[in-house]
Amino acid sequence: MNPRRVSKPIQIGRVTIGGNAPIVVQSMTNTDTRDVMSTISQIKELEECGCELVRVAVPDMEAARAIQAIKRVISIPLIADIHFDYRLALKAIEAGCDGLRLNPGNINQSEKVKAVVMAAKERNIPIRIGVNAGSLPKTANPKLPVAQQMVVAALQQIRLLESLDFDLLKVSLKAFDVPTTIEAYKSIAQKIPYPLHIGITEAGLPRTGVIRSAVGISTLLYLGIGDTIRVSLTAHPREEVIAGYEILKSLNLRQHGPILVSCPSCGRAEVDIIKLAEAVEEKLAKISKPIKVAVMGCVVNGPGEAKDADVGIACGNGKAILFKKGKKIGVVEEKDFVSALMAEVEEF
Ligand code: SF4
């Protein structure tokens, strides 16, 4: 795994992005921001599952104003997502947002950008320059590969903000196409010192979207690129947070709640491993501490295959061996498989 790219850290509320800070998991609400109660309720739910930064859509002035009431009761920093109308950014800043996302594809007149930058500067509010392959600026050169067009669009906006003596920047270059996204980030990572928000945009429904996002995000993270991630899914945003942590855990970049190791099962298994693993997964969802738990289909290979698990169960015909760190600690009856395993997990 490549060493992490060195980036200039920024502060969004109490959360640091870039530098040596842990890679931050973020998401975006899908409620109507003007519906303050629903938006607060969804943000609270996201906080509970570990979301560290939340973005809300700001399609009009009412949504911008709603930020003030939302901010009063949430604990994580809030980023206002602005398209088309720079005045919405000004209002969101006034309402107390902690960060802004601007799309250079649709707010690019320098006077308007300047007004937003001056207001952000006054309050130390970082801005993400969020380039999206689907909404490139009209000035983009279609003869260039899309990845390059994205890089050029970002650099133009970055240079404009730098000329205004503003460097509280974070940058994203998202496309649906994974290789395009990777190429764009690899290119910009060498050209700017700012932290990078990475993700695959419009990745789809969870079954395919999680895979597409994991392939793109983890390739970049493995290359040392990326300071904050969002998994964009057509689903409740809690799924994005869960998937985000799973990606980071897979690369040993963050610890967050349990890791479930379960064997694929084979002709040697004498219990329904899928059912058992699902039951254990459901119980583990309520645990926040990091612990590695194994559910294995047979006593022959189970403990050995999962020897780095903290606790586990290896099932036989009607009975199972409980093990800790690959060592046998007891035998349990089939009716007690889940409860006995969970008792060990609790004790651990
Ligand atoms: Fe098959 Fe046993 Fe390995 Fe599971 S642990 S895949 S049942 S050999």
Side-chain angles (χ1 to χ4, degrees):
M1 191 151 154
N2 287 2
R4 185 161 163 202
R5 165 182 167 268
V6 178
S7 64
K8 180 181 171 306
I10 55 165
Q11 201 66 30
I12 302 186
R14 62 184 163 78
V15 174
T16 307
I17 312 273
N20 292 323
I23 292 161
V24 170
V25 175
Q26 58 174 289
S27 185
M28 183 169 183
T29 53
N30 59 13
T31 52
D32 182 338
T33 310
R34 294 165 295 194
D35 179 349
V36 172
M37 292 321 289
S38 301
T39 304
I40 288 173
S41 153
Q42 191 170 77
I43 294 175
K44 290 272 173 202
E45 195 182 339
L46 292 175
E47 285 174 4
E48 269 169 39
C49 58
C51 182
E52 295 166 309
L53 276 182
V54 70
R55 185 157 47 113
V56 299
V58 182
D60 61 17
M61 280 295 174
E62 198 185 334
R65 279 190 291 269
I67 288 173
Q68 190 168 16
I70 296 166
K71 273 284 298 170
R72 254 184 239 130
V73 283
I74 63 170
S75 310
I76 53 176
L78 180 148
I79 297 168
D81 192 68
I82 311 290
H83 295 265
F84 304 110
D85 188 348
Y86 77 106
R87 288 166 300 185
L88 298 175
L90 297 177
K91 184 54 79 181
I93 292 173
E94 200 184 305
C97 71
D98 301 286
L100 283 177
R101 180 272 170 118
L102 299 183
N103 183 339
N106 54 42
I107 305 181
N108 47 20
Q109 287 163 281
S110 55
E111 278 314 301
K112 294 176 178 174
V113 175
K114 186 174 173 186
V116 176
V117 167
M118 290 307 149
K121 202 166 162 184
E122 212 177 289
R123 301 201 189 193
N124 269 331
I125 292 176
I127 296 176
R128 165 158 70 101
I129 296 173
V131 179
N132 193 308
S135 54
L136 285 163
K138 289 191 185 75
T139 51
N141 178 359
K143 288 187 185 142
L144 291 175
V146 174
Q148 267 188 54
Q149 291 182 50
M150 290 161 76
V151 171
V152 170
L155 286 174
Q156 278 170 352
Q157 189 96 333
I158 291 166
R159 301 307 173 220
L160 172 60
L161 269 60
E162 285 175 338
S163 73
L164 299 167
D165 197 25
F166 188 84
D167 64 356
L168 300 176
L169 293 173
K170 175 162 62 102
V171 177
S172 66
L173 306 168
K174 297 187 187 177
F176 172 77
D177 184 67
V178 173
T180 299
T181 307
I182 292 169
E183 286 310 315
Y185 277 107
K186 273 173 67 180
S187 170
I188 200 113
Q190 298 169 348
K191 295 179 172 68
I192 57 167
Y194 307 114
L196 295 173
H197 162 133
I198 61 170
I200 301 298
T201 196
E202 295 123 19
L205 288 159
R207 184 187 291 214
T208 49
V210 168
I211 295 170
R212 178 169 281 273
S213 297
V215 171
I217 292 173
S218 24
T219 303
L220 287 166
L221 292 173
Y222 198 82
L223 294 172
I225 296 170
D227 301 285
T228 175
I229 65 172
R230 182 203 173 187
V231 177
S232 303
L233 296 177
T234 311
H236 189 287
R238 111 173 59 80
E239 302 303 321
E240 301 188 345
V241 177
I242 294 168
Y245 277 109
E246 288 305 322
I247 292 170
L248 295 177
K249 280 154 60 176
S250 302
L251 289 166
N252 300 330
L253 289 169
R254 293 285 301 266
Q255 287 196 326
H256 183 83
I259 293 175
L260 178 62
V261 180
S262 60
C263 83
S265 174
C266 70
R268 199 176 275 139
E270 291 175 297
V271 293
D272 185 342
I273 283 293
I274 298 174
K275 212 167 131 192
L276 181 60
E278 282 174 351
V280 173
E281 185 181 61
E282 200 185 318
K283 299 266 181 204
L284 291 177
K286 298 181 182 85
I287 290 174
S288 57
K289 292 212 167 130
I291 179 170
K292 199 180 256 186
V293 179
V295 174
M296 309 301 282
C298 75
V299 291
V300 182
N301 294 328
E305 282 183 13
K307 59 182 173 299
D308 65 335
D310 295 309
V311 294
I313 192 163
C315 307
N317 189 8
K319 286 195 174 20
I321 293 176
L322 272 179
F323 60 91
K324 253 186 194 166
K325 298 282 183 194
K327 291 212 170 73
K328 178 178 165 180
I329 55 162
V331 175
V332 288
E333 299 290 325
E334 188 158 354
K335 65 177 176 39
D336 302 323
F337 282 177
V338 177
S339 58
L341 180 67
M342 290 312 297
E344 288 301 327
V345 169
E346 297 288 346
E347 198 187 302
F348 203 88

